Amino acid sequence: MFAKKLSIILGLLALAGGPTLAQKRPAVKAPAKKMAGVPAALLAPGKSVYTQYCLTCHMADGLGVDGMNPPLAKTDYVLGDKTRLTNVLLNGLQGVEIGGEQYHGVMPAQASLTDAQIAAVLTYVRNSFGNKASVVTVGEVKAVRAGNKK
């Protein structure tokens, strides 16, 4: 008798959306999307460098600050010549026009970063914020740094 009543109560709870709903399996999450081209594992070190040295001025979304710090998202400056971009990190930059807008902020030279850190952060920037571009290698950074010493 008790079992029959219990069965009826559990059935009513199920119809009413009671505690038995908590017994459902959690929804299966879709696998994380892989970044096209550059593996996420390659971007992680660059993201770390970006967070430590670049985020304050260029912001978490890479859009910079109007009139002060230029955007890193979808600009020829970032997506174009890797040597020019590497030189910006090594030598700093003040006063630049990007996309018809002047930016007056001063970017200090980051020459104290290792070649690997510079390659990593540039690869990260060139493949974040909607950007899709080739990686910057440690060898390319070394060559630019050596060219600056001449």
Side-chain angles (χ1 to χ4, degrees):
M1 177 87 164
F2 176 76
K4 187 175 182 181
K5 285 183 182 180
L6 182 60
S7 177
I8 292 170
I9 290 172
L10 289 175
L12 289 173
L13 283 173
L15 289 174
T20 56
L21 287 179
Q23 301 300 318
K24 288 186 178 181
R25 289 185 175 181
V28 177
K29 292 182 181 179
K33 289 184 181 179
K34 292 183 179 177
M35 298 201 80
V38 180
L42 188 59
L43 297 178
K47 182 177 183 179
S48 177
V49 174
Y50 183 85
T51 300
Q52 185 173 357
Y53 295 96
C54 313
L55 182 127
T56 302
C57 296
H58 293 287
M59 305 293 129
D61 58 8
L63 296 178
V65 177
D66 288 343
M68 287 296 300
N69 307 312
L72 302 175
K74 299 180 180 180
T75 67
D76 288 337
Y77 226 88
V78 170
L79 298 172
D81 183 19
K82 292 191 274 186
T83 298
R84 175 182 65 183
L85 189 59
T86 303
N87 271 314
V88 169
L89 256 73
L90 290 171
N91 304 316
L93 184 67
Q94 180 176 5
V96 64
E97 181 182 321
I98 295 180
E101 186 173 342
Q102 283 288 336
Y103 294 90
H104 303 287
V106 176
M107 179 174 160
Q110 302 295 324
S112 62
L113 294 176
T114 67
D115 294 341
Q117 287 175 309
I118 291 173
V121 75
L122 293 181
T123 296
Y124 172 75
V125 167
R126 287 169 54 87
N127 289 280
S128 298
F129 320 120
N131 297 331
K132 299 232 183 303
S134 61
V135 301
V136 176
T137 67
V138 173
E140 289 170 322
V141 175
K142 282 182 184 191
V144 173
R145 195 186 296 262
N148 286 343
K149 292 179 182 176
K150 291 181 181 178

